[in-house]
Amino acid sequence: EIVLTQSPGTLSVSPGERATLSCRASQSVSSSYLAWYQQKPGQAPRLLLYGASNRASGIPDRFSGSGSGTDFTLTISRLEPEDFAVYYCQQYGSSPARFIFGPGTKVEIK
Amino acid sequence: QVQLQESGPRLVKPSQTLSLTCNVSGGSIRSGSNYWVWIRQPAGQGLEWLGRIYTSGSGSAIYSPSLQGRLSLSIDTSQNHFSLTLKSVTAADSAVYFCARVAAGYCSGGACYSPSFFDSWGPGTLVTVSS
């Protein structure tokens, strides 16, 4: 079974700076089935990216994604105050059909 | 954009059955990919996918292996809602339970891909298992 690992667990960043979050899979996965979500306290997660690099509707272009195989990255180019949150990667496997989440990375204000 | 809302008891006793319903409004439950899921999040922890149900084919469902045997999903397209039933609950089942829609598959670079991510979520409902 595929396991997703995210690093770092917590990232301390100043507003305006760049944040780079990592999601690593225990075995190679399709980038077409890798998504990223943002979750703020007390809220449901919000879809940011799908297919590793496609921004969801309404997501600002400061959010970008890349990667393939086992290593994927979410980059926030210039952190805005509303970007401080927890970020999860999620992978879909089709045989058998399963949805797996990473443990999350918390982006906090430095 | 559809809206989702979870409902059900907030407190369930150990060994009993947890039942939740997700009401879909602002659109048809036959939208997106026609797949709907339940996801939970224990306090201070990450997200765990529980199961997925389809609107057609008598509501065929798949379940997380960790809950196989205890979890059952159902769907009522006439009422625009779907439901979760979790048997023999323990304290470990205490969590915020979310329902979500699986987005329609997408096409990119000349290829098309199966539904695989969640584009609409309910706000979540906190369920506590305690005597």
Side-chain angles (χ1 to χ4, degrees), chain A residues 23-39:
Chain A
C23 176
R24 178 164 291 178
S26 58
Q27 57 187 275
S28 184
V29 300
S30 171
S31 61
S32 302
Y33 294 124
L34 194 287
W36 289 92
Y37 300 84
Q38 175 193 69
Q39 187 181 31

Side-chain angles (χ1 to χ4, degrees), chain A residues 1 32-33 35 37 39 43-45 47 50-51 54 88 90 92 97-99 101 103, chain B residues 39 41 45-47 49 52 62-63 65 98 106 113-119 121-122:
Chain A
E1 181 175 311
S32 302
Y33 294 124
Y37 300 84
Q39 187 181 31
Q43 297 184 16
L47 175 68
Y50 61 92
N54 300 289
Y88 295 94
Q90 174 251 314
Y92 170 73
R98 293 288 184 267
F99 300 88
F101 288 96
Chain B
I39 291 160
Q41 185 173 39
Q45 297 184 39
L47 301 163
W49 167 74
R52 183 191 74 181
I62 60 171
Y63 303 103
F98 296 101
Y106 72 99
Y113 303 99
S114 300
S116 64
F117 54 89
F118 316 118
D119 65 345
W121 295 66

